[in-house]
DNA sequence: TAAAATAGTTAGCCTGGGTAACCATTTCAA
DNA sequence: TTGAAATGGTTACCCAGGCTAACTATTTTA
């Protein structure tokens, strides 16, 4: 007998691929990729962050984030902000970074608005809550393992 | 101003990585990966399918699915069923495939049940409907591009 | 103050996406 | 009815973006 939660997670996986494909297609026009985009999103909305903060927030390992950040730095979208602790590198968006984010945001907005059409704000908020909840439970599970 | 739908899709991306990480960790104990697991899931629940059907359902290209299917065949979990059309290869689970699916299912169930704890069946069904809806809209968007 | 912890990097691996080009077979239209 | 187009599948090869292991530099702590 097929359980509802099994369907739920299968559908989650099914949705991911076409979403990422289209996202990358749109980002590609600006020379960006998903992994870079989520870093821009984070820095634009939450302000400066260290590599460890970014890696932990996005659930990837430090070397993965090092590479993503390096690419964004090469593109001129990121710069270091000096801190007391000489080990850490706190990063923030450059002017170019802010303006490329805002420009790309328009393209992505058009896409996201289109595909979420017909779903009320309440439902969206409810879904966000649900996803956050699951994510927290995964973190808890990881710690217990 | 940060929009609700922007948050929604960012949270979606944020949830994907830790979920896939844990899924792969559990599957790894049985020598499997996410891409293979979703094929087992499909064949177990929906019965035999051709490569094109699988690829289209999971939104990947044919060569990607060819590779995934080949690995499952090497593991002895898949076999071809003869059809009229000599071009196509319709695949189904072998006995070993069925029993490995059922065995692994237990591990995954334990994980999925734990992390969806506290979310009612109604909410889950609602979320499934929502994700299916978005997926359809992405397909529509792709066709219009 | 020496050892442990933390921030970040480099090197090298692997999964699993993709495209291009191809073969075999089937379908369709002139 | 048959030649062209469409379809199912494969091979070869490229690339993003995950990972671990091992390292350096700095800070914290016992």
């Amino acid at each position: 007998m097929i359980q509802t939660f099994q369907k739920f997670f299968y559908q989650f996986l099914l949705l991911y691929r076409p979403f990422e494909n289209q996202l990358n297609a749109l980002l590609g026009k600006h020379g960006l990729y998903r992994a870079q985009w989520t870093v821009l999103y984070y820095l634009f909305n939450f302000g400066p962050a260290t590599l460890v903060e970014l890696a932990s927030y996005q659930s990837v390992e430090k070397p993965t984030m090092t590479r993503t950040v390096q690419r964004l730095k090469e593109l001129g979208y990121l710069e270091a902000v000096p801190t007391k602790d000489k080990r850490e590198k706190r990063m923030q968006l450059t002017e170019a970074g802010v303006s490329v984010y805002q420009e790309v945001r328009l393209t992505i907005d058009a896409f996201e608005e289109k595909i979420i059409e017909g779903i009320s704000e309440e439902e969206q908020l409810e879904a966000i809550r649900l996803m956050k909840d699951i994510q927290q439970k995964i973190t808890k599970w990881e710690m217990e393992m």
Side-chain angles (χ1 to χ4, degrees), chain A:
Chain A
M1 179 46 73
I2 182 161
Q3 306 280 139
T4 302
F5 69 85
Q6 294 173 356
K7 262 187 164 164
F8 174 88
F9 289 109
Y10 184 62
Q11 180 58 51
F12 180 74
L13 292 177
L14 276 189
L15 176 55
Y16 183 79
R17 183 115 324 275
F19 177 69
E20 195 195 27
N21 282 351
Q22 281 311 299
L23 186 62
N24 273 331
L26 296 173
L27 292 173
K29 290 190 269 181
H30 304 265
L32 289 171
Y33 290 94
R34 191 212 82 229
Q36 292 150 38
W37 173 247
T38 56
V39 169
L40 294 183
Y41 181 100
Y42 184 97
L43 295 176
F44 184 86
N45 290 293
F46 306 140
T50 66
L51 193 130
V52 165
E53 283 164 14
L54 287 170
S56 141
Y57 198 75
Q58 313 224 355
S59 304
V60 297
E61 297 299 322
K62 291 185 296 171
T64 304
M65 191 51 74
T66 295
R67 195 208 280 137
T68 303
V69 160
Q70 274 169 354
R71 284 180 190 162
L72 287 169
K73 234 186 294 181
E74 282 162 22
L75 292 168
Y77 300 156
L78 251 57
E79 64 192 359
V81 291
T83 58
K84 273 184 228 170
D85 192 329
K86 283 177 203 156
R87 290 170 306 177
E88 72 176 22
K89 274 190 184 169
R90 189 160 289 267
M91 312 295 306
Q92 67 183 7
L93 294 183
T94 58
E95 268 188 52
V98 170
S99 78
V100 84
Y101 177 80
Q102 288 174 325
E103 193 190 320
V104 178
R105 188 71 255 179
L106 298 176
T107 314
I108 306 298
D109 277 356
F111 170 58
E112 291 184 348
E113 278 174 347
K114 195 84 187 181
I115 64 173
I116 210 164
E117 204 172 66
I119 295 168
S120 71
E121 179 134 359
E122 288 71 38
E123 270 187 290
Q124 291 176 37
L125 289 167
E126 181 57 19
I128 292 169
R129 197 193 56 70
L130 185 150
M131 289 189 285
K132 266 196 181 131
D133 191 37
I134 294 175
Q135 206 188 326
Q136 267 176 2
K137 295 232 174 65
I138 295 176
T139 308
K140 240 175 87 186
W141 166 284
E142 276 166 354
M143 290 189 308
E144 286 165 13
M145 289 294 118

